[in-house]
């Protein structure tokens, strides 16, 4: 089961956790932005490139008094020889950027490149994201390697995709997947054999042991000892009374292998907050080991973090750490794309770390 935590809310916030991988070597990953495009490639060598309308409102689309029209395109390509690019179009749904003249419930958008039509796509109010046809995808990829005017239009309504930075991002994708100089490269094609392209890597597997999700209450003497053990490690936290407040400030869950998970509120900012999580021994000496100071919640062996990139809530970063019976391993990391007012929460899920999490059935008892 893939885990991409998308619960609560700053992009770029440093999270205190060791990276993990199955082989002990650094996992391949890539983040890169240029112009109106960005790319994220994960540890399986799958790459996702997101492009947006121009941040210059005069180029973003037909306004006609209706306001700037936001949109985004996502290009996804798995690693390996002869793999195709999957393209998706998303029409903006962020409320503050909606046109004064309401859009029809269904849009029949004509795709044009430099004035030439390349078929239609249907977008509905309930489904603002649509796949592009293979022919449309090929035409789009060719256009993105040069200066082009790319648009989707339905009568008076037009959305324009920026090509600024696209070629640089697509070249990064080719390089990451070992395609430069092959027939399947998007930018720098060549005669190098397609079989030389880097193969896809398997998702690491994390098996979660059976756990009881209920928080536990430690006896007062042990809770006081735990509070004292956490006092020095938590000195970097800024949340008032996180150590010297009431006993209820510390949340504790039972793990496996004679370990507990302890958590305290750690910091609070304008539109985000984070809790610290430690693995501790079930009895003194507790010997706390920090997992993260940016957690938002814990359940079923997984600590999740989801943080707003800005107060408007149009972009988030996310992480997860999963208990494998011995330690919490970093099992998910990514973001939801640029802060472009395309959609609440962000337009896409752009991971740089994915795992296959295999959960056990919880052992909660009545």
């Amino acid at each position: 089961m893939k885990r991409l935590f998308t619960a609560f809310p700053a992009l770029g916030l440093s999270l205190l956790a060791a990276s993990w991988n199955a082989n002990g070597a650094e996992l391949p990953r890539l983040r890169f932005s240029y112009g109106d495009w960005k790319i994220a490639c994960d540890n399986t060598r799958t790459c996702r490139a997101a492009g947006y309308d121009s941040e210059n409102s005069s180029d973003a689309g037909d306004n006609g008094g209706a306001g700037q029209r936001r949109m985004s395109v996502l290009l996804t390509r798995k690693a390996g020889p002869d793999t195709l690019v999957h393209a998706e179009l998303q029409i903006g749904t962020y409320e503050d950027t909606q046109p004064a003249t309401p859009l029809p419930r269904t849009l029949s958008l004509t795709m044009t490149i430099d004035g030439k039509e390349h078929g239609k796509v249907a977008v509905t109010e309930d489904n603002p994201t649509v796949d592009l046809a293979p022919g449309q995808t090929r035409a789009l990829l060719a256009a993105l390697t040069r200066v082009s005017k790319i648009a989707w239009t339905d009568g008076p309504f037009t959305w324009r995709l920026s090509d600024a930075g696209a070629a640089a991002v697509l070249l990064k994708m080719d390089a990451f997947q070992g395609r430069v100089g092959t027939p399947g490269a998007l930018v720098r094609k060549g005669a190098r054999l397609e079989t030389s392209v880097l193969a896809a890597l398997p998702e690491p597997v994390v098996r979660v042991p059976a756990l009881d999700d209920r928080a536990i209450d430690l006896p007062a003497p042990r809770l006081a000892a735990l509070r004292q053990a956490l006092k020095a490690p938590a000195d970097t936290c800024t949340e008032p009374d996180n150590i010297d407040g009431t006993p209820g400030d510390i949340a504790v869950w039972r793990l496996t292998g004679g370990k507990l998970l302890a958590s305290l509120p750690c910091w609070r900012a304008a539109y985000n907050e984070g809790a610290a999580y430690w693995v501790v021994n079930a009895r003194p000496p507790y010997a706390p080991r920090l997992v993260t100071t940016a957690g938002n919640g814990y359940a079923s062996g997984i600590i999740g973090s989801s943080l707003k990139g800005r107060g408007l809530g149009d972009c988030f970063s996310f992480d997860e750490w999963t208990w494998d019976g011995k330690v919490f391993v970093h099992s998910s990391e990514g973001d939801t794309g640029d802060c472009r007012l395309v959609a609440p929460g962000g337009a896409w899920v752009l991971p740089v770390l994915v795992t296959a999490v295999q959960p056990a059935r919880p052992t909660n008892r009545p």
Side-chain angles (χ1 to χ4, degrees):
M1 181 179 76
K2 293 183 181 180
R3 299 288 304 185
L4 293 175
F5 189 88
T6 53
F8 274 57
L11 297 177
L13 180 71
S14 175
L15 305 182
L16 300 179
S19 62
W20 166 87
N21 67 84
N23 302 316
E26 185 67 24
L27 291 171
R29 61 177 68 188
L30 171 69
R31 280 193 179 104
F32 177 75
S33 296
Y34 193 73
D36 295 313
W37 282 77
K38 77 172 297 179
I39 186 171
C41 298
D42 66 35
N43 51 296
T44 70
R45 295 199 177 112
T46 294
C47 290
R48 298 166 179 87
Y52 303 87
D53 54 79
S54 172
E55 288 196 290
N56 181 345
S57 60
S58 65
D59 296 331
D62 174 24
N63 52 35
Q68 184 171 336
R69 307 193 190 286
R70 309 319 299 256
M71 56 84 68
S72 183
V73 163
L74 181 68
L75 305 175
T76 302
R77 194 176 201 181
K78 294 184 178 181
D82 300 311
T83 56
L84 299 177
V85 176
H86 176 234
E88 300 169 80
L89 167 69
Q90 184 173 159
I91 298 302
T93 57
Y94 194 89
E95 185 174 350
D96 289 351
T97 62
Q98 294 309 294
T101 303
L103 296 174
R105 287 187 57 84
T106 300
L107 290 164
S108 180
L109 299 173
T110 300
M111 178 178 171
T112 63
I113 298 176
D114 297 328
K116 181 180 178 180
E117 294 187 2
H118 289 270
K120 294 180 178 292
V121 293
V123 178
T124 68
E125 185 177 61
D126 295 331
N127 295 290
T129 302
V130 63
D131 293 343
L132 298 186
Q136 293 172 326
T137 301
R138 289 192 294 271
L140 175 61
L141 292 173
L144 290 174
T145 63
R146 62 179 190 267
V147 176
S148 303
K149 294 182 178 179
I150 306 164
W152 285 266
T153 303
D154 183 352
F157 303 107
T158 297
W159 290 261
R160 294 191 175 97
L161 176 65
S162 172
D163 60 2
V169 161
L170 296 182
L171 180 58
K172 285 286 187 181
M173 183 185 293
D174 284 344
F176 185 86
Q177 296 182 331
R179 301 185 192 278
V180 175
T182 68
L186 300 177
V187 180
R188 293 182 183 172
K189 297 181 182 294
R192 189 161 62 88
L193 293 178
E194 190 70 15
T195 52
S196 66
V197 171
L198 294 173
L201 296 174
E203 279 189 318
V205 176
V206 183
R207 294 178 176 87
V208 185
L211 296 166
D212 191 333
D213 274 349
R214 296 176 301 183
I216 61 174
D217 294 323
L218 294 180
R222 289 173 57 192
L223 185 62
L226 176 58
R227 185 179 302 280
Q228 186 61 35
L230 295 180
K231 187 172 181 61
D235 281 347
T236 58
C237 293
T238 59
E239 182 67 9
D241 301 325
N242 62 337
I243 293 297
D244 299 321
T246 64
D249 289 338
I250 300 179
V252 180
W253 298 266
R254 197 177 305 282
L255 299 172
T256 53
K259 301 295 183 181
L260 303 175
L261 178 65
S263 177
L264 280 167
C266 187
W267 57 270
R268 183 173 296 158
Y271 42 79
N272 286 310
E273 60 184 34
Y277 287 81
W278 295 268
V279 175
V280 302
N281 294 327
R283 293 183 179 276
Y286 286 109
R289 181 177 178 182
L290 181 67
V291 180
T292 180
T293 60
N296 298 134
Y298 168 79
S300 304
I302 297 175
I303 301 168
S305 173
S306 186
L307 304 172
K308 284 185 180 182
R310 61 180 181 177
L312 293 171
D314 60 336
C315 51
F316 283 69
S317 65
F318 57 83
D319 285 84
E320 284 184 345
W321 298 267
T322 301
W323 181 251
D324 69 355
K326 296 180 179 179
V327 296
F328 277 95
V329 297
H330 198 185
S331 53
S332 176
E333 180 184 353
D335 60 55
T336 64
D338 282 354
C339 306
R340 294 297 191 106
L341 296 173
V342 177
W348 311 107
V349 175
L350 306 179
V352 294
L353 174 63
V354 296
T355 62
V357 174
Q358 298 181 356
R361 297 185 63 181
T363 61
N364 288 351
R365 296 178 295 274

